[in-house]
Amino acid sequence: MNESLFISIIIGITIASTPLIFAAIGELLVERSGVLNLGVEGMMIVGALLGFIVQFHTGSPYLAVLAALLGGMAISSIFAFLTQFLLTNQVATGLALTLFGLGLSAFAGRGYTEETIVLIKAIHIPFLSDIPVIGPLIFSLNPLVYLALVMVYLVWWFLYKTKQGLILRSIGDNHDAAHAIGHNVVRYRFMAILFGGAMAGLGGAFLSLVQVPIWGEDMTAGRGWIALGLVVFASWLPFRIILGAILFGGITVLQLHAQGFDIRISAQYLSMLPYLATIIILVSLRIRLKNKTNRTVPNCLGRIFHSTS
Amino acid sequence: MNYQLEVSNITKSYGDLKANDDVSLNIKDSSIHALLGENGAGKSTLVKIIYGSLMPDSGEMKWDGSNYNPKSPFEARENGIAMVFQHFSLFESLTVEENIILGLDGVGLNENFTDEILKYSKQYGLDINPQQVVGDLSVGARQRVEIIRCLLQKPKLLIMDEPTSVLTPQEVSDLFVTLRKLADDGCSILYISHKLEEVREICSEATILRGGKLVQSCVPQEHSQKELAEMMIGKKLTELARSNINTGSDIFSIKNLSCPSDDMFGVDLTDISLTLKQGSIVGIAGVAGNGQDELMELLIGEKATDNDVLYFDGHDIGSLNSHERRQLSMFFIPEERLGHGAVPDMSLDENMLLSRPESDKMTSRDVIDWDIVSTFTQKVISDFDVQTPSGRMLAKSLSGGNLQKFMVGRELIRKPKLLIVSQPTWGVDAGSANNIHQSLIALADQGSAILIISQDLDEILSLCEQIHVLSEGRLSDAVDMKKDGLEKISQLMVGGESS
Amino acid sequence: MIKLIPRVENSKAMILLSPLLALTLTAVSALIIFIFILDDIKVSSVFFTLFVLPLTDSYLFPELLVKAAPLMIIGLGLSIGFRAGIWNIGAEGQYVIGGIAGGAVGLYFYNVEGFWLLPLMALASIIGGMLYASIAAFLRIRYQVNEILVTLMLTYVAVLFLSAMLQGPLRNPAGFNFPESRIFHDSAMLPIIWEGTRLHIGFILAIILSLVAWFGIKKHMFGMQIKITGSAPRAAKFAGFNDNKTVLYSLLISGGLAGLAGFFEASGPAGQLTPGLPQFYGFTAIIVAFLARLHPIGIVFSSLLIALSYVGGEEVQIEYNLPSSITQIFQGMLLFYFLACDILIKYKVVLNKTKD
C-alpha cells in the first residue's frame, strides 16, 4: 500500500473515532455509578451546535470547546435532576433528553445552517512532526484527539486509583450499601452525569469543529447511540473504549474509501456498515463471553435509588 | 459506674406508627450488651439512631459523658461507633480490601493496607484473604470482612445486628471468641438478637424492647430463657406438636439431580436425591449460600432439569414450568417475598394470579375473571388473618409478616398435594410465625407432603420428622435424630465449609 | 427541607392531576419561550394558532386526526413492550420497513383492481415490521444483546434501505430519476372516511386497536404477564411465564403495529413511497406511550395531544415562519414535566421544618 494513503487512512480513523471516545468515556463513568443515560445523542448534538456557534462568532477554538463542554453539562443537568431528585425512570428520561436535545439544537441552530467556520487544525511540532510516518501519525494529530486519550486515562486513573473512584464504583455495585456506610449516592451520581454530559458535549463539538466546518441538525447521525454500544462492548473498562472506537472508526473510513473507489454497491448499503457493525460487535462480545454474567456490569445500572431515612 | 453510651427517652415515629416510644438504654464500658426484641420491636430504628442514619423526634444521647447527636454515620464513626449490618453492606464486585477501605473515612488507596488487614485478621482470629472478590465468599467470611472493617476504625462501641442468623454453629462459637476478646480489649458491644440462648451465653446485660417500647433492662443470666421469651413476646405461644404422623406412599422424588450454576457467584448442585411421602414434613437445613436458591429454582420449575430427575405423583416433571407443575397440585413459597413470591407494585388481587391452578376458574382461556380473583383474595385475607384494609393494597405496603401470611395462604387454600417452601418464617414476627407453622402442620395432617428449606434450625427441628443438610450443593442422607442428633447436623452444616 | 415519603397505595387523584400539572407547566414554559423569541409578533396569536386553531379549524382538525392515527398505533405497540421492560426504541425503523413492504406489494400489483389488495398490503406491512423487530428479539433472546441499541441501529439501516429502494427497484420508471415510487393506484389507497379531507380508515382501526389492547391489558393473562415481567422478572418466572416469549411477543406486536402504521402513512396521506416517509412518528410515539402512562385508552388522548402539537407547529411555521423544531422542543419538555410530576403518584412530598 502507498504510504500516504496508509497515513491518511489512519488519520481518518482517529478523526472518526474521537467523538465516540469522548461520548463513550463519559457514559462509561455515568454507568459505573449505576446510572443509564440514554440521552448521549441529545447531549452530543447540543455540544456540536454550541461549539459551532461560539467558533463562528468568536473564532476562538478554546471558547468553542469550552462552550460545548458546558452546554453538554447544562443539558445533562436536566437528566440528573429528574432522575436523582424526582426519581424518574432513567430510560424514559434519557430518551426525552435525546428528543429534547435534537429539537432544541435544530431550533436554536436554524440561523446557522448556511454558515461555515474555521476548523481546529492538527498540531505541528517542529522536527517531531516531520519524522516520516511516525511524525504524522503520532505528533501531528488534532489536539482534541490527544485530549480524548488523556480523558480515557484520567477516567481509568480516577476509577482505580482514587478513593472517590472506588466510592463511585461501590455506588454502582450496591447503592443501598454505599448509602448505609454513609456515602452520598445522589451527589456522586449527579456529578458523574454532569461529567458524562460534558464529555458528550465535547464529542459533539469534535464533529462540528474538526470533522466538518458546517452545522446540520442531523450531524450526530446516531453516534450517541453507537457510543452507548461501545460502553457495553468495552465491558465498562476504560481502555477498551479506545479499541472499540478504533474498530468503528476503521469501518467508517473503509466505507468512505470504498465509495471513493468505484465499487458497484450503492452508497446506501455502504453507509449501513457502521450501524450493522455496531450490532455485530455487540453480538460477538456476547459470543465471546459465552453467556456468563459479566462481573464488570454495574449491578445497580438503571435502578432508582431512594433512601427512606 | 461509667457508661460508654447513654440513651434517654428516645421517640421516633413514622406517621402513626411509633417505632421507638420513650426508649432508654445504657451501655457500660467494655461490656457486651444485648438488645432483645421481636421483628418490628424497634431494635433497628434505635440502632439507626445511635449510628446516625436516623434522627430521633425527641430524646437525647450521651457518648463518654458528653452530648451526642450524630447527623450521619460519618459522625458516629468519628466518635468511635462501628456497625456490622444484618444484611451486609458489602460490594460483591469489589475485593475484600476495597470493601474495607470504603468503610474507612480518611483512608486512601495505599498499597500497605493489606498488612494492616492481615494484622487484625490474625489478632482476632478472623481468617480472610484481602485480594479475594467478595462475591466469591461464603456468608461467614463476609461477616468477617465486615467485622475487620469495623475493627480498623478502632471503635469503642461495636454494634452487631443479628450477627449469628446466617452462621453455622462452629462459626458462631468462633465469633463469640472474637467478641469476648474485643470486650476485654475495651470495646463495648451492642448485640442485637432475638436468640435468647446466645444472649444468655455472652451478654452481661440486656435491654428488651416490645412494640417500640422499653420492657426492661436486666442481667440475662438472672432470668430463665422462658421469662426472657415472655418479656420479649408478651404473650404465650401455642406449643407446636405433630401428634400423629401418618405417612402414605411416595409422592415426590428427586433422583441424582446435578446442575451447574449459571451465575458466576452461584453454587453447583451435585447428585441430590430425596423422597417425600404423603403426609410427611421433610426439612433441608443448611447455611445460606450452599445451594438453597439454586435448588429452589429447579424445584419451582423456574429452570428446567433433565428428564428422569424429578418425579411427582407419577409424572416426570423436569421440563414443566411452574404453572404446569401447579396444575398437578404442586405449590411453592419462595424465600424472597418482594420481587419473587409477590410483585411489590401490584395489588394483592393481582398477586393472586401468580399462582393460578386453572381448576379454580380465576381465568378461563387466559381471560381473567376479577370477581373470582378477589373472592379468593378475601378468603386468604380472612382465613390467614392478613392485616390489610383490602385486596387492592399494594403488596409492598404490607408488613413482612402479613405478606408472608398472604403468600402462605395463597398456596394453602389450594390444598396442595405437595408444598415446597423456603424460609417460611424469615423476618416474620413470632405471632405470625406461629400461625404459619400451625397451618403447615395442619396441611400435613391432612395428608399433604411438605418440603421445608430453612436456615432456621429450630424451625426445622420442631416441624420436620426427616432432616437433611445441604452443604456446598450436596444433600446429606436423612439424619437419624435419635442416634446422632444435633451434633451430626452441625457437623454436616460445617462439613462443606472450606475456610 | 423537602422530603419524599412513599405512599402505601398509588394516589388516585394524582394519577389524573399530574398530567394536567405537566401540561400546565409546558404551556407556561412555552409562553415564556415565546415572549423571549418573538419580538414583533403577538404571543397570544401564536399561542392560539399552536394550541387552539387545530381543534377548531375545519381543515386542521381532520389533519390532526390523520397525524394521530400512526402515533396511536405505534404507541399502543410500544406501550406493551415498555410494560414488560422491553425497550423497542426503533419503531421508526419498523415503520419504514412496514411502509416499504406494504408499498412494494401495492406497486407489484400496480393497476390491478381488487378489494383484496389493501388487506394484502396491510398484511405485508405487518409481517415486514414484525420480521424487522424480530431481529432484535432474536439477538436479545439468543445473545442477550440490548434491544435498545439494536432497534436503534436498525432504524438508521431502514432509512438507508428505503433510500436504496427508491433509487433502485421501487423507483418510478417515468419519474425523471427522482427517488420516488409511482403514485399508488386507487385500489392501493386507503378509503377516505371524511369527504374532502385526508382522514382515512386507519384512524378508525387505531381506535379499535386501542379498545382491543385495553381489553388485553385489563382482562387477559398476557396483560398480566407483561406487567409482572416488567415489574418483577423473578416473580414472572415464579408464575411460570417464559421470559423469552414475553420478549418475542412484545417485539412482534410493537414491530407489527409500527409496520402497519408505515403502510397507513404510505397508502394514506402520502399516496406513494418517498424519502419523506419517516416522519419521526416512531420516536414521537415513545412520548405518546409515556404520556398515557402506557394505558391504551390514555394513548388515544395522548396521541391526539401530540398530533395537536404537530399540526399547530406546522401552522405557526407557515403563518409566522417559526421553525417546526419548536414542536419537538415542546414534546420533549412535556415528557420531562410529565415524568417529573409522576413522582406525586408514588410519593408524598412533605415540607418538614427543621427541628429546634
Side-chain angles (χ1 to χ4, degrees), chain C residues 294-308:
Chain C
L294 310 182
H295 191 287
I297 300 303
I299 285 172
V300 173
F301 292 101
S302 65
S303 57
L304 289 169
L305 179 71
I306 294 293
L308 170 84

Side-chain angles (χ1 to χ4, degrees), chain B residues 322 326 350 366 368 370, chain C residues 218-219 221 227 234 238 240:
Chain B
S322 59
R326 286 189 190 100
E350 289 172 300
D366 282 347
I368 303 162
W370 285 107
Chain C
K218 212 172 141 55
K219 294 276 277 182
M221 275 313 282
K227 205 172 156 190
R234 276 185 81 199
F238 175 69

Side-chain angles (χ1 to χ4, degrees), chain B residues 355-401:
Chain B
S355 171
R356 178 174 61 99
E358 269 154 21
S359 55
D360 64 17
K361 299 278 183 280
M362 289 202 296
T363 58
S364 63
R365 291 170 169 241
D366 282 347
V367 176
I368 303 162
D369 186 329
W370 285 107
D371 290 339
I372 297 181
V373 174
S374 62
T375 319
F376 278 111
T377 317
Q378 282 316 314
K379 186 173 160 59
V380 172
I381 290 173
S382 61
D383 289 6
F384 290 83
D385 189 31
V386 182
Q387 304 289 318
T388 175
S390 82
R392 279 194 294 280
M393 297 304 283
L394 299 181
K396 69 175 177 192
S397 70
L398 269 64
S399 72

Side-chain angles (χ1 to χ4, degrees), chain C residues 79-158:
Chain C
S79 72
I80 286 170
F82 291 175
R83 273 172 187 256
I86 292 150
W87 302 99
N88 177 3
I89 303 303
E92 184 81 357
Q94 296 135 28
Y95 163 98
V96 168
I97 295 296
I100 295 173
V105 169
L107 293 168
Y108 182 80
F109 292 107
Y110 188 64
N111 275 343
V112 178
E113 302 295 321
F115 67 93
W116 47 268
L117 185 54
L118 275 174
L120 191 67
M121 290 168 76
L123 191 67
S125 69
I126 292 172
I127 291 173
M130 278 184 168
L131 284 178
Y132 209 53
S134 69
I135 299 173
F138 170 74
L139 294 180
R140 166 153 164 169
I141 291 168
R142 181 69 181 76
Y143 300 110
Q144 286 100 50
V145 175
N146 184 311
E147 73 280 6
I148 297 179
L149 295 172
V150 174
T151 52
L152 258 163
M153 292 298 126
L154 289 179
T155 297
Y156 291 100
V157 172

Side-chain angles (χ1 to χ4, degrees), chain A residues 68 76 169 177:
Chain A
S76 72
R169 281 189 288 143

Side-chain angles (χ1 to χ4, degrees), chain C residues 255-269:
Chain C
L257 288 178
L260 183 67
F263 156 65
F264 282 170
E265 185 66 18
S267 277

Side-chain angles (χ1 to χ4, degrees), chain B residues 294-453:
Chain B
E294 290 80 0
L295 180 60
M296 198 64 190
E297 196 181 10
L298 293 171
L299 294 178
I300 296 177
E302 293 173 347
K303 189 174 149 188
T305 64
D306 298 334
N307 284 332
D308 205 23
V309 171
L310 294 180
Y311 279 94
F312 174 72
D313 215 3
H315 302 85
D316 184 345
I317 58 163
S319 61
L320 302 186
N321 70 28
S322 59
H323 180 64
E324 290 158 341
R325 291 181 192 194
R326 286 189 190 100
Q327 310 314 316
L328 302 172
S329 195
M330 278 176 86
F331 288 85
F332 319 94
I333 306 170
E335 170 186 351
E336 196 74 27
R337 284 183 283 271
L338 293 173
H340 193 188
V343 184
D345 282 309
M346 286 194 181
S347 69
L348 296 181
D349 281 336
E350 289 172 300
N351 269 295
M352 278 307 286
L353 288 164
L354 289 187
S355 171
R356 178 174 61 99
E358 269 154 21
S359 55
D360 64 17
K361 299 278 183 280
M362 289 202 296
T363 58
S364 63
R365 291 170 169 241
D366 282 347
V367 176
I368 303 162
D369 186 329
W370 285 107
D371 290 339
I372 297 181
V373 174
S374 62
T375 319
F376 278 111
T377 317
Q378 282 316 314
K379 186 173 160 59
V380 172
I381 290 173
S382 61
D383 289 6
F384 290 83
D385 189 31
V386 182
Q387 304 289 318
T388 175
S390 82
R392 279 194 294 280
M393 297 304 283
L394 299 181
K396 69 175 177 192
S397 70
L398 269 64
S399 72
N402 276 313
L403 186 56
Q404 186 72 16
K405 283 192 278 187
F406 170 79
M407 280 171 48
V408 170
R410 181 177 68 192
E411 311 307 321
L412 289 197
I413 56 164
R414 316 293 184 201
K415 303 261 178 289
K417 286 188 195 163
L418 170 66
L419 179 73
I420 299 176
V421 48
S422 175
Q423 300 280 61
T425 56
W426 180 253
V428 168
D429 60 281
S432 304
N434 200 256
N435 285 346
I436 289 170
H437 285 157
Q438 277 174 354
S439 17
L440 291 179
I441 287 177
L443 180 71
D445 285 346
Q446 288 167 29
S448 300
I450 302 179
L451 178 62
I452 300 177
I453 302 175

Side-chain angles (χ1 to χ4, degrees), chain B residues 53-107:
Chain B
S53 27
L54 276 182
M55 308 274 204
D57 298 338
S58 64
E60 56 185 42
M61 294 189 278
K62 281 192 170 160
W63 175 255
D64 262 343
S66 44
N67 280 333
Y68 169 65
N69 297 303
K71 291 189 179 51
S72 73
F74 283 112
E75 219 174 298
R77 288 200 290 265
E78 260 171 39
N79 279 288
I81 298 181
M83 176 155 176
V84 177
F85 294 90
Q86 180 183 9
H87 303 289
F88 303 136
S89 54
L90 291 178
F91 306 96
E92 297 214 333
S93 66
L94 305 181
T95 65
V96 168
E97 185 173 345
E98 286 175 327
N99 265 282
I100 288 174
I101 290 172
L102 274 169
L104 297 174
D105 312 324
V107 175

